[in-house]
Amino acid sequence: MCLSTVYKNKLTPEAVMMKNVMRIECRDGVVILTDLMERQMAVEGTLEMANLVDGVAVVKEAAV
């Protein structure tokens, strides 16, 4: 099973949004993250990068 840590805007420890992410969905400008315990987080923005070998992804948050 491949689980990922998702970061907001950049790959730094303080930018962690969610760990143990098993699903990432992109719908109408919203990125929906679901972790192993089925908890969800929705963020306005785009998926900028996903490296499934290293288990990381970056979501670029939409400018407000």
Side-chain angles (χ1 to χ4, degrees):
M1 182 183 313
C2 294
L3 300 174
S4 296
T5 299
V6 178
Y7 297 83
K8 179 172 33 174
N9 298 322
K10 56 188 173 191
L11 278 170
T12 59
E14 60 272 3
V16 172
M17 296 175 67
M18 183 179 271
K19 294 183 178 186
N20 298 317
V21 173
M22 65 175 190
R23 185 181 309 127
I24 301 172
E25 299 174 58
C26 301
R27 290 190 218 146
D28 301 320
V30 176
V31 180
I32 302 165
L33 310 172
T34 306
D35 74 3
L36 193 57
M37 302 300 289
E38 296 286 334
R39 293 176 289 217
Q40 289 191 327
M41 173 186 288
V43 181
E44 287 189 41
T46 57
L47 179 64
E48 185 166 291
M49 180 276 289
N51 182 332
L52 302 180
V53 172
D54 291 335
V56 296
V58 176
V59 172
K60 183 166 180 146
E61 195 171 33
V64 179

